[in-house]
C-alpha cells in the first residue's frame, strides 16, 4: 500500500513539470524521498527502543 502511495506522489511530481528530463528528475526526487522515509523512521524507533531496554 505504501509503495502505491509513493508512486502516486512520484507520478504527480512528474506531472508538475511534464515531459522530458525535468519531469523525470522531479518524479525521481520525490520517489527517493518517499522511499527513504520508512527507513529513517525505523532507525529512529529502534534507537528509542534500545535506549529504553538498556
Amino acid at each position: 500500500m505504501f509503495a502505491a502511495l509513493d508512486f502516486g506522489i512520484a507520478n504527480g511530481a512528474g506531472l508538475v513539470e511534464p515531459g522530458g528530463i525535468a519531469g523525470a528528475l522531479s518524479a525521481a526526487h520525490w520517489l527517493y524521498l518517499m522511499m527513504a522515509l520508512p527507513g529513517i523512521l525505523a532507525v529512529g524507533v529502534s534507537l528509542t527502543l534500545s535506549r529504553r531496554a538498556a
Side-chain angles (χ1 to χ4, degrees):
M1 183 173 125
F2 192 71
L5 179 63
D6 292 343
F7 287 113
I9 291 172
N11 190 20
L15 292 176
V16 173
E17 298 176 26
I21 295 174
L25 287 175
S26 177
H29 172 77
W30 284 103
L31 180 62
Y32 178 78
L33 289 177
M34 292 302 294
M35 294 301 276
L37 187 61
I40 293 169
L41 290 175
V43 168
V45 168
S46 67
L47 289 175
T48 302
L49 292 176
S50 68
R51 288 182 186 157
R52 288 186 183 178

Short mmCIF file of all heavy atoms in Angstrom, two decimals:
data_model
loop_
_atom_site.label_atom_id
_atom_site.label_comp_id
_atom_site.label_asym_id
_atom_site.label_seq_id
_atom_site.Cartn_x
_atom_site.Cartn_y
_atom_site.Cartn_z
N MET A 1 0.83 -1.19 0.00
CA MET A 1 0.00 0.00 0.00
C MET A 1 0.88 1.26 0.00
O MET A 1 0.58 2.23 -0.67
CB MET A 1 -0.91 -0.02 1.21
CG MET A 1 -1.86 1.16 1.23
SD MET A 1 -3.05 1.00 2.53
CE MET A 1 -2.77 2.53 3.36
N PHE A 2 1.93 1.23 0.80
CA PHE A 2 2.80 2.41 0.87
C PHE A 2 3.49 2.66 -0.46
O PHE A 2 3.68 3.81 -0.86
CB PHE A 2 3.82 2.23 1.99
CG PHE A 2 4.57 3.48 2.32
CD1 PHE A 2 3.95 4.52 2.96
CD2 PHE A 2 5.89 3.62 1.96
CE1 PHE A 2 4.62 5.68 3.26
CE2 PHE A 2 6.58 4.77 2.25
CZ PHE A 2 5.94 5.81 2.90
N ALA A 3 3.85 1.59 -1.15
CA ALA A 3 4.51 1.74 -2.45
C ALA A 3 3.57 2.39 -3.46
O ALA A 3 4.00 3.22 -4.27
CB ALA A 3 4.98 0.39 -2.97
N ALA A 4 2.29 2.05 -3.40
CA ALA A 4 1.33 2.66 -4.31
C ALA A 4 1.22 4.16 -4.04
O ALA A 4 1.13 4.96 -4.98
CB ALA A 4 -0.03 2.00 -4.15
N LEU A 5 1.25 4.55 -2.79
CA LEU A 5 1.21 5.97 -2.44
C LEU A 5 2.47 6.67 -2.94
O LEU A 5 2.40 7.77 -3.49
CB LEU A 5 1.08 6.14 -0.93
CG LEU A 5 1.05 7.56 -0.40
CD1 LEU A 5 -0.17 8.31 -0.93
CD2 LEU A 5 1.06 7.55 1.10
N ASP A 6 3.61 6.03 -2.77
CA ASP A 6 4.87 6.62 -3.24
C ASP A 6 4.85 6.86 -4.74
O ASP A 6 5.23 7.93 -5.21
CB ASP A 6 6.05 5.70 -2.91
CG ASP A 6 6.30 5.61 -1.42
OD1 ASP A 6 5.81 6.47 -0.69
OD2 ASP A 6 7.00 4.67 -1.02
N PHE A 7 4.43 5.86 -5.49
CA PHE A 7 4.42 6.01 -6.94
C PHE A 7 3.36 7.01 -7.39
O PHE A 7 3.55 7.69 -8.39
CB PHE A 7 4.24 4.65 -7.62
CG PHE A 7 5.47 3.81 -7.53
CD1 PHE A 7 5.48 2.66 -6.78
CD2 PHE A 7 6.63 4.19 -8.18
CE1 PHE A 7 6.63 1.88 -6.69
CE2 PHE A 7 7.78 3.43 -8.10
CZ PHE A 7 7.78 2.28 -7.34
N GLY A 8 2.27 7.13 -6.64
CA GLY A 8 1.27 8.15 -6.95
C GLY A 8 1.84 9.55 -6.77
O GLY A 8 1.61 10.44 -7.60
N ILE A 9 2.59 9.74 -5.70
CA ILE A 9 3.22 11.04 -5.46
C ILE A 9 4.29 11.32 -6.51
O ILE A 9 4.39 12.44 -7.03
CB ILE A 9 3.80 11.10 -4.04
CG1 ILE A 9 2.65 11.13 -3.03
CG2 ILE A 9 4.70 12.31 -3.86
CD1 ILE A 9 3.07 11.00 -1.60
N ALA A 10 5.09 10.31 -6.84
CA ALA A 10 6.12 10.50 -7.87
C ALA A 10 5.50 10.81 -9.22
O ALA A 10 6.00 11.65 -9.96
CB ALA A 10 6.99 9.25 -7.96
N ASN A 11 4.41 10.15 -9.53
CA ASN A 11 3.71 10.41 -10.79
C ASN A 11 3.18 11.83 -10.81
O ASN A 11 3.30 12.55 -11.81
CB ASN A 11 2.59 9.41 -10.99
CG ASN A 11 2.00 9.48 -12.37
OD1 ASN A 11 2.62 9.98 -13.28
ND2 ASN A 11 0.80 8.96 -12.52
N GLY A 12 2.61 12.28 -9.71
CA GLY A 12 2.11 13.64 -9.62
C GLY A 12 3.23 14.67 -9.73
O GLY A 12 3.07 15.72 -10.34
N ALA A 13 4.37 14.35 -9.14
CA ALA A 13 5.50 15.27 -9.22
C ALA A 13 6.01 15.38 -10.65
O ALA A 13 6.46 16.43 -11.07
CB ALA A 13 6.62 14.81 -8.29
N GLY A 14 5.94 14.30 -11.38
CA GLY A 14 6.36 14.33 -12.78
C GLY A 14 5.39 15.10 -13.65
O GLY A 14 5.77 15.65 -14.68
N LEU A 15 4.12 15.17 -13.21
CA LEU A 15 3.13 15.91 -13.99
C LEU A 15 3.22 17.42 -13.77
O LEU A 15 2.70 18.18 -14.55
CB LEU A 15 1.72 15.42 -13.63
CG LEU A 15 1.40 13.99 -14.07
CD1 LEU A 15 0.01 13.61 -13.57
CD2 LEU A 15 1.49 13.84 -15.57
N VAL A 16 3.89 17.84 -12.69
CA VAL A 16 4.05 19.28 -12.44
C VAL A 16 4.90 19.89 -13.54
O VAL A 16 4.62 20.96 -14.05
CB VAL A 16 4.67 19.52 -11.05
CG1 VAL A 16 5.00 20.98 -10.86
CG2 VAL A 16 3.72 19.05 -9.96
N GLU A 17 5.97 19.21 -13.89
CA GLU A 17 6.84 19.64 -14.98
C GLU A 17 6.79 18.55 -16.04
O GLU A 17 7.65 17.67 -16.06
CB GLU A 17 8.27 19.82 -14.47
CG GLU A 17 8.41 20.87 -13.40
CD GLU A 17 9.84 20.92 -12.87
OE1 GLU A 17 10.77 20.55 -13.59
OE2 GLU A 17 10.00 21.34 -11.73
N PRO A 18 5.79 18.57 -16.90
CA PRO A 18 5.57 17.42 -17.78
C PRO A 18 6.68 17.23 -18.81
O PRO A 18 7.24 18.18 -19.33
CB PRO A 18 4.26 17.74 -18.46
CG PRO A 18 4.11 19.21 -18.35
CD PRO A 18 4.83 19.62 -17.11
N GLY A 19 6.95 15.97 -19.02
CA GLY A 19 7.82 15.57 -20.13
C GLY A 19 9.29 15.81 -19.92
O GLY A 19 9.71 16.62 -19.10
N GLY A 20 10.05 15.05 -20.61
CA GLY A 20 11.49 15.24 -20.68
C GLY A 20 12.24 14.95 -19.40
O GLY A 20 11.76 14.31 -18.48
N ILE A 21 13.43 15.46 -19.36
CA ILE A 21 14.34 15.21 -18.25
C ILE A 21 13.86 15.91 -16.98
O ILE A 21 13.97 15.36 -15.89
CB ILE A 21 15.76 15.65 -18.62
CG1 ILE A 21 16.28 14.76 -19.76
CG2 ILE A 21 16.69 15.57 -17.43
CD1 ILE A 21 17.61 15.17 -20.31
N ALA A 22 13.31 17.10 -17.10
CA ALA A 22 12.87 17.85 -15.92
C ALA A 22 11.77 17.09 -15.17
O ALA A 22 11.80 17.01 -13.94
CB ALA A 22 12.38 19.23 -16.32
N GLY A 23 10.81 16.54 -15.87
CA GLY A 23 9.75 15.77 -15.23
C GLY A 23 10.27 14.50 -14.58
O GLY A 23 9.85 14.14 -13.49
N ALA A 24 11.19 13.82 -15.25
CA ALA A 24 11.77 12.60 -14.70
C ALA A 24 12.59 12.88 -13.44
O ALA A 24 12.53 12.14 -12.48
CB ALA A 24 12.64 11.92 -15.75
N LEU A 25 13.33 13.96 -13.44
CA LEU A 25 14.12 14.33 -12.27
C LEU A 25 13.23 14.69 -11.09
O LEU A 25 13.51 14.32 -9.95
CB LEU A 25 15.06 15.48 -12.59
CG LEU A 25 16.26 15.15 -13.46
CD1 LEU A 25 17.03 16.42 -13.81
CD2 LEU A 25 17.16 14.14 -12.77
N SER A 26 12.17 15.41 -11.35
CA SER A 26 11.24 15.78 -10.29
C SER A 26 10.58 14.55 -9.69
O SER A 26 10.50 14.40 -8.47
CB SER A 26 10.18 16.74 -10.84
OG SER A 26 9.24 17.05 -9.84
N ALA A 27 10.13 13.64 -10.52
CA ALA A 27 9.49 12.41 -10.04
C ALA A 27 10.49 11.55 -9.28
O ALA A 27 10.16 10.99 -8.23
CB ALA A 27 8.90 11.65 -11.22
N ALA A 28 11.72 11.43 -9.77
CA ALA A 28 12.73 10.61 -9.10
C ALA A 28 13.09 11.19 -7.74
O ALA A 28 13.29 10.45 -6.77
CB ALA A 28 13.97 10.51 -9.97
N HIS A 29 13.16 12.50 -7.64
CA HIS A 29 13.47 13.16 -6.37
C HIS A 29 12.42 12.82 -5.32
O HIS A 29 12.76 12.41 -4.21
CB HIS A 29 13.56 14.68 -6.61
CG HIS A 29 13.68 15.47 -5.36
ND1 HIS A 29 14.86 15.56 -4.68
CD2 HIS A 29 12.77 16.18 -4.65
CE1 HIS A 29 14.68 16.33 -3.61
NE2 HIS A 29 13.42 16.71 -3.58
N TRP A 30 11.16 12.99 -5.66
CA TRP A 30 10.10 12.71 -4.69
C TRP A 30 9.98 11.23 -4.37
O TRP A 30 9.71 10.84 -3.24
CB TRP A 30 8.77 13.26 -5.19
CG TRP A 30 8.72 14.73 -5.02
CD1 TRP A 30 8.88 15.67 -5.99
CD2 TRP A 30 8.54 15.44 -3.80
NE1 TRP A 30 8.82 16.93 -5.44
CE2 TRP A 30 8.61 16.81 -4.10
CE3 TRP A 30 8.35 15.05 -2.49
CZ2 TRP A 30 8.47 17.79 -3.11
CZ3 TRP A 30 8.21 16.03 -1.52
CH2 TRP A 30 8.27 17.38 -1.83
N LEU A 31 10.21 10.38 -5.36
CA LEU A 31 10.15 8.93 -5.11
C LEU A 31 11.25 8.53 -4.14
O LEU A 31 11.02 7.76 -3.21
CB LEU A 31 10.28 8.17 -6.42
CG LEU A 31 10.23 6.65 -6.29
CD1 LEU A 31 8.89 6.22 -5.73
CD2 LEU A 31 10.47 6.01 -7.64
N TYR A 32 12.45 9.03 -4.32
CA TYR A 32 13.54 8.71 -3.42
C TYR A 32 13.23 9.17 -2.00
O TYR A 32 13.45 8.43 -1.03
CB TYR A 32 14.84 9.37 -3.91
CG TYR A 32 16.01 9.11 -3.00
CD1 TYR A 32 16.67 7.89 -3.03
CD2 TYR A 32 16.43 10.06 -2.09
CE1 TYR A 32 17.74 7.64 -2.19
CE2 TYR A 32 17.50 9.81 -1.24
CZ TYR A 32 18.14 8.61 -1.29
OH TYR A 32 19.19 8.36 -0.45
N LEU A 33 12.72 10.37 -1.85
CA LEU A 33 12.39 10.87 -0.51
C LEU A 33 11.31 10.02 0.16
O LEU A 33 11.41 9.71 1.35
CB LEU A 33 11.93 12.32 -0.60
CG LEU A 33 13.01 13.34 -0.92
CD1 LEU A 33 12.40 14.73 -1.05
CD2 LEU A 33 14.06 13.35 0.17
N MET A 34 10.31 9.63 -0.58
CA MET A 34 9.21 8.84 -0.01
C MET A 34 9.67 7.42 0.34
O MET A 34 9.21 6.85 1.32
CB MET A 34 8.03 8.80 -0.96
CG MET A 34 7.35 10.14 -1.14
SD MET A 34 6.74 10.86 0.40
CE MET A 34 5.47 9.72 0.84
N MET A 35 10.57 6.86 -0.44
CA MET A 35 11.05 5.51 -0.14
C MET A 35 12.06 5.52 1.01
O MET A 35 12.24 4.52 1.68
CB MET A 35 11.68 4.88 -1.39
CG MET A 35 10.68 4.62 -2.50
SD MET A 35 9.34 3.53 -2.03
CE MET A 35 10.10 1.96 -2.29
N ALA A 36 12.73 6.62 1.26
CA ALA A 36 13.68 6.72 2.37
C ALA A 36 12.98 6.94 3.70
O ALA A 36 13.53 6.60 4.76
CB ALA A 36 14.67 7.85 2.11
N LEU A 37 11.79 7.47 3.69
CA LEU A 37 11.07 7.81 4.92
C LEU A 37 10.85 6.61 5.85
O LEU A 37 11.13 6.72 7.05
CB LEU A 37 9.75 8.50 4.58
CG LEU A 37 8.96 9.06 5.75
CD1 LEU A 37 9.77 10.11 6.47
CD2 LEU A 37 7.66 9.65 5.23
N PRO A 38 10.37 5.46 5.38
CA PRO A 38 10.19 4.33 6.31
C PRO A 38 11.50 3.86 6.94
O PRO A 38 11.52 3.49 8.12
CB PRO A 38 9.60 3.22 5.44
CG PRO A 38 9.03 3.90 4.27
CD PRO A 38 9.84 5.14 4.06
N GLY A 39 12.59 3.90 6.23
CA GLY A 39 13.88 3.51 6.79
C GLY A 39 14.34 4.46 7.88
O GLY A 39 14.84 4.03 8.92
N ILE A 40 14.15 5.74 7.64
CA ILE A 40 14.52 6.74 8.64
C ILE A 40 13.68 6.58 9.90
O ILE A 40 14.19 6.63 11.02
CB ILE A 40 14.39 8.16 8.05
CG1 ILE A 40 15.43 8.36 6.96
CG2 ILE A 40 14.53 9.22 9.14
CD1 ILE A 40 15.22 9.61 6.13
N LEU A 41 12.39 6.34 9.73
CA LEU A 41 11.51 6.12 10.88
C LEU A 41 11.89 4.85 11.63
O LEU A 41 11.87 4.83 12.87
CB LEU A 41 10.05 6.04 10.42
CG LEU A 41 9.44 7.35 9.93
CD1 LEU A 41 8.05 7.11 9.38
CD2 LEU A 41 9.41 8.36 11.05
N ALA A 42 12.25 3.79 10.92
CA ALA A 42 12.64 2.54 11.57
C ALA A 42 13.90 2.72 12.41
O ALA A 42 14.00 2.19 13.52
CB ALA A 42 12.84 1.46 10.53
N VAL A 43 14.87 3.46 11.91
CA VAL A 43 16.09 3.71 12.67
C VAL A 43 15.77 4.50 13.93
O VAL A 43 16.25 4.19 15.02
CB VAL A 43 17.13 4.45 11.81
CG1 VAL A 43 18.29 4.97 12.65
CG2 VAL A 43 17.65 3.54 10.71
N GLY A 44 14.93 5.51 13.81
CA GLY A 44 14.55 6.30 14.98
C GLY A 44 13.82 5.48 16.03
O GLY A 44 14.12 5.59 17.23
N VAL A 45 12.92 4.63 15.60
CA VAL A 45 12.18 3.79 16.55
C VAL A 45 13.11 2.78 17.20
O VAL A 45 13.05 2.55 18.42
CB VAL A 45 11.01 3.08 15.85
CG1 VAL A 45 10.41 2.00 16.71
CG2 VAL A 45 9.94 4.08 15.46
N SER A 46 14.01 2.17 16.44
CA SER A 46 14.91 1.18 17.02
C SER A 46 15.87 1.82 18.02
O SER A 46 16.18 1.22 19.05
CB SER A 46 15.69 0.45 15.93
OG SER A 46 16.58 1.33 15.28
N LEU A 47 16.33 3.03 17.75
CA LEU A 47 17.20 3.71 18.71
C LEU A 47 16.44 4.05 19.99
O LEU A 47 16.97 3.93 21.09
CB LEU A 47 17.77 4.98 18.09
CG LEU A 47 18.83 4.77 17.01
CD1 LEU A 47 19.21 6.11 16.39
CD2 LEU A 47 20.03 4.05 17.55
N THR A 48 15.20 4.46 19.86
CA THR A 48 14.38 4.77 21.03
C THR A 48 14.12 3.52 21.86
O THR A 48 14.24 3.55 23.09
CB THR A 48 13.03 5.39 20.59
OG1 THR A 48 13.30 6.56 19.82
CG2 THR A 48 12.19 5.75 21.79
N LEU A 49 13.81 2.41 21.21
CA LEU A 49 13.55 1.18 21.94
C LEU A 49 14.80 0.61 22.58
O LEU A 49 14.74 0.06 23.69
CB LEU A 49 12.92 0.14 21.00
CG LEU A 49 11.51 0.48 20.51
CD1 LEU A 49 11.05 -0.57 19.51
CD2 LEU A 49 10.54 0.59 21.67
N SER A 50 15.95 0.76 21.93
CA SER A 50 17.19 0.23 22.52
C SER A 50 17.60 1.04 23.73
O SER A 50 18.20 0.51 24.66
CB SER A 50 18.31 0.20 21.48
OG SER A 50 18.69 1.52 21.13
N ARG A 51 17.30 2.32 23.76
CA ARG A 51 17.63 3.15 24.93
C ARG A 51 16.75 2.78 26.12
O ARG A 51 17.17 2.84 27.26
CB ARG A 51 17.47 4.63 24.60
CG ARG A 51 18.55 5.13 23.69
CD ARG A 51 18.41 6.60 23.42
NE ARG A 51 19.39 7.01 22.42
CZ ARG A 51 19.27 8.05 21.67
NH1 ARG A 51 18.22 8.84 21.76
NH2 ARG A 51 20.20 8.36 20.78
N ARG A 52 15.49 2.42 25.85
CA ARG A 52 14.60 2.02 26.94
C ARG A 52 14.97 0.67 27.52
O ARG A 52 14.79 0.45 28.71
CB ARG A 52 13.16 1.96 26.43
CG ARG A 52 12.57 3.31 26.15
CD ARG A 52 11.12 3.19 25.78
NE ARG A 52 10.58 4.49 25.46
CZ ARG A 52 9.35 4.68 25.05
NH1 ARG A 52 8.52 3.67 24.93
NH2 ARG A 52 8.91 5.89 24.79
N ALA A 53 15.50 -0.22 26.70
CA ALA A 53 15.86 -1.56 27.15
C ALA A 53 17.14 -1.54 27.99
O ALA A 53 17.35 -2.40 28.83
CB ALA A 53 16.02 -2.49 25.95
N ALA A 54 18.00 -0.58 27.74
CA ALA A 54 19.30 -0.56 28.44
C ALA A 54 19.22 0.07 29.80
O ALA A 54 18.36 0.53 30.33
CB ALA A 54 20.30 0.22 27.61
#
